[in-house]
Amino acid sequence: MLIGALIALMGHSATGLAANVSEGQRIYRQFCVGCHGVGGLAAIPNAPNFSRGERLMQPDMTLMMSIKAGKMAMPSFNGILQDHQIFDVIAYLRTLQQ
Ligand code: HEC
């Protein structure tokens, strides 16, 4: 856990910006909620359940690369969201875990 947190912090400092959770929520509602659902309860088959923390044990940088590149049914957000916006939405995802 500690190592994951440290790597996550390194990911943030690499961007030079602190993540903005409320901006992340806005982005989530616009781009992610259709598949990932309100509160992170998956709206489509095979989407991870973020309210249970599924996939969120990965460092921010790893999640950022997956979202940017796309994964299976998830489209690429390269050119749609900037890296700092993806970090904002990841920070929001981490608030969904109950
Ligand atoms: C069209 C549906 C769809 C949309 C839109 C979508 N996702 Fe996904 N997402 C998925 C699916 C399906 C998976 C599981 C992919 C797999 O099987 O590994 C996934 C996986 C993920 C993962 C886990 C990646 C990993 O490496 O394990 C994260 C984080 C994620 N999505 C975040 C987001 C965010 C943030 C957005 C909005 C910017 C978003 N997704 C938009 C369908 C979607």
Side-chain angles (χ1 to χ4, degrees):
M1 274 321 262
L2 182 60
I3 290 175
L6 287 172
I7 293 170
L9 283 171
M10 285 161 60
H12 281 304
S13 62
T15 68
L17 292 166
N20 179 334
V21 172
S22 58
E23 177 65 7
Q25 182 178 41
R26 190 190 66 75
I27 294 165
Y28 185 85
R29 286 183 179 153
Q30 187 173 353
F31 294 100
C32 320
V33 76
C35 294
H36 287 290
V38 174
L41 290 167
I44 62 161
N46 301 324
N49 183 332
F50 296 134
S51 75
R52 290 205 304 253
E54 286 177 15
R55 310 290 183 94
L56 298 183
M57 68 295 292
Q58 300 174 84
D60 286 12
M61 191 57 81
T62 308
L63 294 174
M64 200 278 277
M65 297 313 273
S66 294
I67 295 165
K68 197 168 174 176
K71 196 162 196 181
M72 307 296 281
M74 178 161 70
S76 166
F77 286 91
N78 194 11
I80 298 170
L81 295 174
Q82 297 186 334
D83 289 3
H84 72 89
Q85 293 180 300
I86 298 177
F87 283 119
D88 288 347
V89 77
I90 291 168
Y92 174 67
L93 297 182
R94 294 197 185 286
T95 70
L96 298 176
Q97 187 170 356
Q98 288 169 356

